[in-house]
Each structure stands twice: as structure tokens, then as C-alpha cells.
Amino acid sequence: MNPLVSFVIPIYNAEKFLAETIESILNCGYEPIEIVLADDGSTDSSLEICRSFEEKSSNIRIIRHDNGINKGVSTTRKKGILEVKGEYVYFLDADDMLLPGVISQYITIFSQNSDVVLIHGEVQEINTPSGSQKLEQGFVIGLSNRKYSLAEEPYYLKSNRICNSTVCVRKEALSVINFNYKQIFPIGEDW
């Protein structure tokens, strides 16, 4: 039997893309999954969209901050991490999509390499408005399918080379992190 993969999606006013994001997980071709929709005080119809998916699927849960207030994406993601039940945690932003087959590939790599703690992939942009910065240039490193240690790859520590929405990590690695810290970065908190 496959291990449970938990998806954590922090959500703030994401009504435009949210349903497509959730559908991409439900159609990713991997079972079993758990989807934790972590609302960060949305004021649009995001929460209603989440509720419609939660009503249809027992593996989808909504979590919120007390009083439905906005606490920021880092705090919201941390809350989701503390709630998941899976052996692996996949981070996906509410405006991103998961390509079919990715999770199966990641789980195969994890099962064959007990020393691998985190796997990330490359990004593929779709529906990018003209004039927008091309994210692919910042995240694609061109050396697929290789193991490395962050300590031996200083450019990963000097620039944000790992796209958050391609990351899957062993939950046990997250359990040793003290999440009781304040967010100190106004942008790039996923790095």
C-alpha cells in the first residue's frame, strides 16, 4: 500500500485559481492523499469553494485561524503542517497546479533513498500574463534527477532556486523544526 501524502495549501483570496488547483491534486494519479485547505482569512469566495470540495470528499479538510483572521502565508502554512497526517507533505500554493504523475515519481525516489529528506522539481508556466517575469528562469536548474546536499550547493542558499510548489518532504523531518518563530521576511518566506 502507498504511503499517505498530505497536501498543504495556504489560501488567501484565491477564488480565481483555487478550484483548478484542488482538481489538479484530485487528478494527480496517486492515492492515498489528504488535502488540508488552510484558509488565511479570505474575503472573497475562496472559503465557499473550499467548502464545496470538502463536502464532496472525505480526504479534504479546511482549517482556519481563530476568528478567521489573516496571519500571513508562513503562519498559515505552519498551521497546515501541524495538522497533517501523512508520511509525506507536499506544499502547493493556491494558484498552482500539480502535474499528473509527479507524486508517484517522488514516492518512488523516497522509497529507494532513505537519506532523501526533500524532493523538488521544476516549474512550467502556463497562462502567464504578458510582461510578467518568467519564473522558470529563476527555478529551473537544468540538472534533473540528481541528489545533492544543500551544504554543498551554496547557490541554493544565496538565491531562491527551489520553487515551493514543487516541494515534497518527509513529515518526520518537519517534526523536529520549532515552528514558533516569527516571520521575518516580508517576501520570499517560502525560501
Side-chain angles (χ1 to χ4, degrees):
M1 186 166 132
N2 289 334
L4 177 65
V5 175
S6 297
F7 290 85
V8 175
I9 305 175
I11 299 162
Y12 179 73
N13 293 345
E15 66 185 4
K16 185 175 180 182
F17 304 103
L18 185 55
E20 191 173 23
T21 298
I22 297 168
E23 288 288 347
S24 76
I25 298 170
L26 294 172
N27 297 312
C28 75
Y30 182 87
E31 291 279 334
I33 60 169
E34 165 192 45
I35 302 173
V36 175
L37 303 171
D39 181 63
D40 188 22
S42 294
T43 57
D44 66 358
S45 65
S46 294
L47 189 55
E48 288 77 25
I49 293 168
C50 291
R51 286 182 177 135
S52 71
F53 277 94
E54 184 182 46
E55 288 172 7
K56 294 183 229 175
S57 182
S58 62
N59 60 345
I60 296 177
R61 268 186 308 134
I62 300 169
I63 61 170
R64 302 181 76 208
H65 299 295
D66 292 339
N67 302 317
I69 61 173
N70 176 269
K71 291 193 172 188
V73 68
S74 291
T75 301
T76 304
R77 189 173 283 120
K78 288 187 287 187
K79 184 174 179 68
I81 291 167
L82 296 172
E83 295 281 333
V84 297
K85 300 173 184 160
E87 186 176 339
Y88 299 96
V89 181
Y90 193 102
F91 301 111
L92 196 63
D93 288 340
D95 62 347
D96 293 334
M97 292 179 13
L98 180 67
L99 295 175
V102 169
I103 299 302
S104 295
Q105 291 175 11
Y106 282 15
I107 296 304
T108 298
I109 293 167
F110 277 126
S111 67
Q112 294 172 350
N113 299 276
S114 61
D115 60 328
V116 171
V117 174
L118 179 148
I119 298 174
H120 70 93
E122 298 177 348
V123 297
Q124 177 183 2
E125 288 187 276
I126 57 172
N127 301 327
T128 305
S130 62
S132 297
Q133 178 184 1
K134 291 287 186 188
L135 291 175
E136 290 177 349
Q137 294 172 359
F139 292 123
V140 176
I141 61 170
L143 296 171
S144 298
N145 301 324
R146 72 178 180 98
K147 284 173 66 172
Y148 58 88
S149 168
L150 282 178
E152 298 165 5
E153 306 283 346
Y155 57 91
Y156 278 97
L157 302 175
K158 294 178 182 175
S159 65
N160 189 9
R161 304 291 300 207
I162 300 174
C163 179
N164 182 66
S165 286
T166 69
V167 170
C168 189
V169 63
R170 292 182 193 271
K171 184 180 176 185
E172 65 189 32
L174 295 173
S175 66
V176 298
I177 297 172
N178 178 357
F179 285 112
N180 294 322
Y181 60 87
K182 291 184 180 181
Q183 180 174 331
I184 59 172
F185 301 107
I187 59 171
E189 90 305 323
D190 49 351
W191 179 21

